[in-house]
Amino acid sequence: MGRDLKTSAILAALLLALPGLVRAAEPKPAAIQPWMNVKLSPDRRADLVISRMTLDEEIALLHGDFPVFMPKRPPGVQISAGYVKGLARLGIPDLTESDASLGVANSLRSHDDATPLPSGLSLAATWDAKTAYAGGAMIGKEARQKGFNVLLAGGVNLLRDPRNGRNFEYLGEDPLLAGTLAGAAIRGIQSNHIVSATKHFALNDQETGRTVLSAEIDEAAFRESDLLAFEIAIESGHPGSVMCAYNRVGGIYACENPFLLNNVLRTDWKYPGWVMSDWGAVHGVAAAKAGLDQESGQQLDKKVFFDAPLKDAVTSGEVSEAQIHKMTHRVLRSMFAAGLFEHPLQVGGLDTTADSRVAARAGEQGIVLLRNQGRVLPLAASAGHILVIGGHADIGVISGGGSSQVIPTGSVKFPPPKGAPSWGGGQMYFPSAPLAAIKARAPNADVTFNDGADPAAAAVLAARADVVVVFATQWSSEGMDISLTLPDGQDGLISAVAAANPKTIVVLETAAPVLMPWREKTAGILEAWFPGARGGESIARVLFGEANPQGRLPVTFPASEAQLAHPVLPGADQAQVETMGAGAVTPKPFDVRYTEGSDVGYRGFAKSGDKPLYPFGFGLTYSSFRYSGLKVVGGKTLRASFTVTNTGARSAIDTPQFYLISGPSRTQERLIGWSKVDLKPGESRSVTVTAPRRMLANWDAKSHGWRLSGGTYKVAVGSDASALTLKGAAQVTATTLQP
Ligand code: BGC
């Protein structure tokens, strides 16, 4: 794969980086600058500023730099993802932009510290909006403290293919779960008076060929899946900006796609904020008419289209001046809405020790217990000889690469796995070693480590241990897709070790689902994803039962590639996946036909009847639960009430899930609600879950709205998408919901 411009930039930046200062705009009192009157609406305030701006000044707000490539980087402009110069004359602050959803990315700046959250899939596995909000609030605070007022966060591309290399930045396969958590994370970020930009709008659901592929999907299916995740995230999170994607949708680039930007986002969803492009995703001035407001990372496009060419288009009448006002308005109104004018950035005060507690809590909640034969877990502090193997567990926990990479001080980098591309920066391990955390919890046990490089030798040691904990990692990065098979022969290692010692527990630190050919030989399996700044601690706390395993899979783990909607990844025959940059081989454009429509993930499994390795929603605890007494009330929507009882011997947290099975006009399994309950042994609690009406409706392309057919709706409550223990039904009245 060719190295792209951004990779070269990362390398250059590592040499050039200097700590930056933030230039604060100078807000004046409302008497002098009437737009500083906070009693006015953001829209009114934006209009007031625009009335004082020249055309050139407006256009200057509509394109921004990729600072590494700025010919002369002004003092105070940090090396980061983006910079849009403000207008000091009118008190308009600069937009200082940093990636991304998991923390303040800092691979471009040396000697810089930041706190990484666990991966998006880990956050999604918490099924907890409060955790997503807390994570967002923490990274938003760090963004401010580090001089950024725009966080390119809020990734909510639906997980259509578990091999998408960026799944670790997103929130899984279900639109309600992903959209709800993304919305909460965005609210958390923006609670710091900064802007969050949800992305990548839309259907950038694989990295292979991302800049050339055209995603093809039926409109109704699109509205009920990928678009729905964005719709929920946007209406609940109110992000100041939406980032359009690299790929094409229906043959048209997402950043110049009038259907996506003008029809869906602006007209149907009434989205008032601004659309920024992905870096290098603009192909011409025509994008302005199609709904793009701002060209980001302009040095990565063939030309800076939204500078002189945009002005020429205004002069020639191709783009109206009114259009420029609208575009500027959207940028400014979001800046006012987020409070950028009256809350200028104040750099400093970073406390990564305190912040990493937020990451630790989230990482722990996202761990999913997949298997626990003979109650091998939790481990006893006096477990005799505990042998820890592999996964660099003596060093730290793995993380994902690419623009979202956050690097806390003390991280250690390993080269990419065999066969994986180098862009993405290599495998970064955060300094939170599971081995040390395990030792700390078992002071009287004999805890030893083997790196797993020689499976036969590891098996010999395993045979002598009382219990074995094998760590397996799967790296992933932006700009690449991955396989469902663990890299570097780790399946062989696990098989050899598990054959030697039946008390083998596998801890997975994976980007996304993997196959587990060794599953039946093992006693326990934990999915810890990329567990974040304090991942080693989080894993050890769950292993020893200091923390309850409570994560639930936000994605189906397939039993084989043959079960996927696209057994062969579209475009997999292409020479490489990136197209930007000198020397890169440009893949031929190709279509990705999402013929599975909105039957993504568990919905597809429900339809085909295939049995996955682990279903969506699955996760064990150290206790057991019983559901009883389901009552379903219909009417305008559906409300389920039922009782959850902890039937085991330990306090534990359960996540009962509410699914639609079929409506009068269609059969499609859909998650329509869930709850989380913390119960002591023997304790019961009555739970009520109400389905959002839109989740019961189907998109009706003819009437251009959500149609809820009147009649009988069958529903179920269960502990995952295929363990539906309580069934019920109720009548819902017909209605049409506006988009
Ligand atoms: C990524 C975006 C990111 C941007 C800026 C692009 O390559 O797709 O997610 O925000 O770069 O770094």
Side-chain angles (χ1 to χ4, degrees), residues 210-241:
R210 67 175 176 174
T211 54
V212 294
L213 72 81
S214 178
E216 305 291 321
I217 190 168
D218 164 76
E219 185 189 337
F222 194 11
R223 298 263 187 178
E224 293 166 1
S225 57
D226 292 64
L227 286 179
L228 183 54
F230 273 103
E231 188 173 5
I232 296 169
I234 290 170
E235 71 194 8
S236 62
H238 306 286
S241 185

Side-chain angles (χ1 to χ4, degrees), residues 417-580:
K418 274 182 221 122
S422 60
W423 122 260
Q427 309 185 64
M428 194 66 74
Y429 279 71
F430 298 155
S432 175
L435 179 63
I438 289 172
K439 280 186 177 165
R441 279 161 184 83
N444 300 323
D446 177 21
V447 183
T448 57
F449 180 71
N450 173 273
D451 68 8
D454 177 351
V460 170
L461 296 175
R464 291 189 217 131
D466 291 309
V467 58
V468 183
V469 186
V470 197
F471 284 80
T473 60
Q474 177 204 40
W475 184 67
S476 179
S477 166
E478 177 183 347
M480 64 185 256
D481 290 320
I482 49 179
S483 145
L484 292 182
T485 299
L486 283 170
D488 294 339
Q490 294 176 95
D491 283 337
L493 170 68
I494 299 170
S495 297
V497 167
N501 190 329
K503 267 187 139 186
T504 291
I505 296 149
V506 181
V507 177
L508 295 167
E509 291 171 27
T510 65
V514 287
L515 302 177
M516 304 179 200
W518 31 260
R519 174 170 71 155
E520 297 306 322
K521 291 189 211 148
T522 64
I525 307 174
L526 278 187
E527 174 56 90
W529 318 101
F530 297 160
R534 297 252 300 260
E537 288 284 310
S538 303
I539 291 168
R541 275 173 57 74
V542 172
L543 282 174
F544 285 89
E546 268 172 35
N548 274 316
Q550 56 175 292
R552 297 301 174 108
L553 295 180
V555 49
T556 310
F557 275 45
S560 70
E561 298 210 335
Q563 288 184 334
L564 299 179
H566 305 267
V568 176
L569 190 79
D573 53 342
Q574 297 286 341
Q576 50 91 61
V577 301
E578 281 293 335
T579 58
M580 298 185 289

Side-chain angles (χ1 to χ4, degrees), residues 6 81 99 152 166 199-200 210 243 246 278-279 403 478:
K6 287 192 72 188
D99 287 296
L152 307 171
R166 292 189 89 172
K199 62 191 188 182
H200 305 87
R210 67 175 176 174
M243 186 192 294
Y246 284 123
D278 202 340
W279 274 232
S403 62
E478 177 183 347

Side-chain angles (χ1 to χ4, degrees), residues 675-691:
S675 179
K676 276 188 94 161
V677 276
D678 191 348
L679 295 176
K680 296 197 179 66
E683 194 183 349
S684 291
R685 178 129 357 119
S686 147
V687 170
T688 300
V689 185
T690 305

Side-chain angles (χ1 to χ4, degrees), residues 240-602:
S241 185
V242 171
M243 186 192 294
C244 51
Y246 284 123
N247 53 287
R248 292 176 291 141
V249 173
I252 302 172
Y253 282 112
C255 288
E256 53 185 56
N257 194 310
F259 167 75
L260 279 181
L261 307 182
N262 284 338
N263 301 7
V264 174
L265 196 59
R266 299 263 162 59
T267 310
D268 293 343
W269 299 351
K270 319 251 172 323
Y271 176 67
W274 92 91
V275 176
M276 65 165 76
S277 72
D278 202 340
W279 274 232
V282 184
H283 302 272
V285 162
K289 283 202 283 192
L292 177 67
D293 301 310
Q294 194 181 58
E295 178 179 15
S296 314
Q298 59 194 17
Q299 287 83 357
L300 296 169
D301 286 322
K302 288 210 177 84
K303 239 194 227 179
V304 183
F305 296 106
F306 277 25
D307 191 2
L310 185 58
K311 189 166 182 202
D312 292 347
V314 174
T315 312
S316 72
E318 186 194 339
V319 172
S320 67
E321 224 172 304
Q323 179 65 30
I324 302 292
H325 295 328
K326 269 195 219 163
M327 293 157 72
T328 315
H329 178 100
R330 292 173 190 140
V331 176
L332 287 168
R333 66 91 52 209
S334 279
M335 292 172 72
F336 281 118
L340 262 53
F341 282 71
E342 46 278 349
H343 299 276
L345 293 169
Q346 271 168 356
V347 177
L350 189 73
D351 181 354
T352 51
T353 308
D355 293 344
S356 68
R357 277 182 220 123
V358 177
R361 175 96 187 96
E364 174 182 305
Q365 284 178 265
I367 291 175
V368 186
L369 177 62
L370 294 174
R371 186 174 168 88
N372 195 12
Q373 297 298 104
R375 305 226 165 137
V376 67
L377 291 171
L379 291 175
S382 54
H385 176 197
I386 306 175
L387 173 63
V388 177
I389 299 178
H392 298 299
D394 54 333
I395 289 178
V397 287
I398 198 169
S399 60
S403 62
S404 69
Q405 178 81 64
V406 181
I407 310 176
T409 302
S411 297
V412 177
K413 186 156 84 172
F414 292 93
K418 274 182 221 122
S422 60
W423 122 260
Q427 309 185 64
M428 194 66 74
Y429 279 71
F430 298 155
S432 175
L435 179 63
I438 289 172
K439 280 186 177 165
R441 279 161 184 83
N444 300 323
D446 177 21
V447 183
T448 57
F449 180 71
N450 173 273
D451 68 8
D454 177 351
V460 170
L461 296 175
R464 291 189 217 131
D466 291 309
V467 58
V468 183
V469 186
V470 197
F471 284 80
T473 60
Q474 177 204 40
W475 184 67
S476 179
S477 166
E478 177 183 347
M480 64 185 256
D481 290 320
I482 49 179
S483 145
L484 292 182
T485 299
L486 283 170
D488 294 339
Q490 294 176 95
D491 283 337
L493 170 68
I494 299 170
S495 297
V497 167
N501 190 329
K503 267 187 139 186
T504 291
I505 296 149
V506 181
V507 177
L508 295 167
E509 291 171 27
T510 65
V514 287
L515 302 177
M516 304 179 200
W518 31 260
R519 174 170 71 155
E520 297 306 322
K521 291 189 211 148
T522 64
I525 307 174
L526 278 187
E527 174 56 90
W529 318 101
F530 297 160
R534 297 252 300 260
E537 288 284 310
S538 303
I539 291 168
R541 275 173 57 74
V542 172
L543 282 174
F544 285 89
E546 268 172 35
N548 274 316
Q550 56 175 292
R552 297 301 174 108
L553 295 180
V555 49
T556 310
F557 275 45
S560 70
E561 298 210 335
Q563 288 184 334
L564 299 179
H566 305 267
V568 176
L569 190 79
D573 53 342
Q574 297 286 341
Q576 50 91 61
V577 301
E578 281 293 335
T579 58
M580 298 185 289
V585 184
T586 305
K588 285 192 231 82
F590 61 92
D591 290 349
V592 181
R593 295 190 178 278
Y594 290 119
T595 46
E596 74 277 21
S598 62
D599 287 327
V600 177
Y602 67 90

